[in-house]
């Protein structure tokens, strides 16, 4: 058991924390969407599970499957389980990520959002940041690196 902990600590030193922080940041909007829409998604599946299906009119004779109702019910229950697990993982992510994000300054949040969250090119992000904060290109890059290092430190430690 002690060896495992040592191995984990050693492995932790080789984690690219900046790249991991960028990936976590890129996932933020998706996670927020899941939290906001999971109830609707589950309700939709539950509605499909309880509503009767009518036959599709294709002109081709179909074969009778006496277990189709059971299969549809099982498929819907599986889908609900997947949605609930996705929601649980999203809550874990938010519990981990949000305190670090909120510990950043508004300027750091703005810079990281422009670079990694908003759907703009790097050139547009630099222009937007430079215009708002009155910075030159090199200064924007330095502030981005500093903000990213700060986020990585808050998420993963040293």
């Amino acid at each position: 058991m002690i060896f495992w902990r040592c191995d984990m600590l050693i492995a932790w030193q080789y984690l690219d924390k900046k790249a991991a922080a960028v990936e976590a940041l890129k996932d933020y909007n998706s996670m927020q969407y899941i939290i906001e829409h999971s109830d609707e998604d589950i309700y939709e599946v539950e509605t499909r599970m309880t509503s009767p299906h009518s036959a599709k009119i294709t002109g081709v004779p179909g074969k009778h499957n006496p277990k189709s109702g059971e299969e549809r019910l099982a498929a819907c229950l599986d889908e609900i389980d997947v949605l609930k697990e996705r929601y649980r993982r999203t809550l874990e992510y938010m519990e981990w990520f949000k305190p670090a994000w909120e510990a950043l300054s508004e300027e750091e949040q703005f810079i990281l959002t422009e670079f990694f969250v908003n759907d703009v090119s790097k050139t547009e992000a630099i222009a937007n940041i430079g215009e708002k904060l009155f910075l030159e290109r090199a200064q924007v890059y330095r502030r981005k690196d500093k903000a990213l290092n700060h986020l990585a430190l808050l998420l993963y430690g040293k």
Side-chain angles (χ1 to χ4, degrees), residues 105-125:
S105 69
E106 285 184 29
E107 181 180 297
E108 290 172 320
Q109 288 178 2
F110 171 69
I111 291 169
L112 293 176
T113 300
E114 282 294 319
F115 267 98
F116 303 111
V117 178
N118 292 348
D119 192 23
V120 297
S121 69
K122 188 185 290 187
T123 305
E124 289 176 282

Side-chain angles (χ1 to χ4, degrees), residues 10 14 41 66 69 82 84 98 105 118 135 146 150 152 156:
I10 291 168
Y14 294 98
D41 294 342
V82 168
K84 286 182 178 180
K98 216 160 187 171
S105 69
N118 292 348
L135 299 173
K146 185 177 177 184
H150 189 200
Y156 302 105

Side-chain angles (χ1 to χ4, degrees), residues 45-90:
V45 174
E46 288 173 343
T47 302
R48 269 189 295 150
M49 184 170 60
T50 58
S51 64
H53 280 2
S54 60
K56 293 180 182 175
I57 302 173
T58 61
V60 178
K63 65 179 186 176
H64 178 65
N65 181 359
K67 296 190 179 211
S68 65
E70 294 172 21
E71 291 172 357
R72 187 178 76 230
L73 181 64
C76 288
L77 289 173
D78 289 343
E79 190 174 347
I80 288 171
D81 286 345
V82 168
L83 290 171
K84 286 182 178 180
E85 177 61 17
R86 181 180 77 169
Y87 183 74
R88 185 193 64 76
R89 287 184 181 185
T90 299

Side-chain angles (χ1 to χ4, degrees), residues 107-108 111-112 129 133 135 138-149:
E107 181 180 297
E108 290 172 320
I111 291 169
L112 293 176
I129 294 166
L133 302 177
L135 299 173
Q139 293 172 312
V140 170
Y141 276 114
R142 281 194 295 276
R143 297 246 184 123
K144 177 200 61 129
D145 289 339
K146 185 177 177 184
L148 188 55
N149 286 334

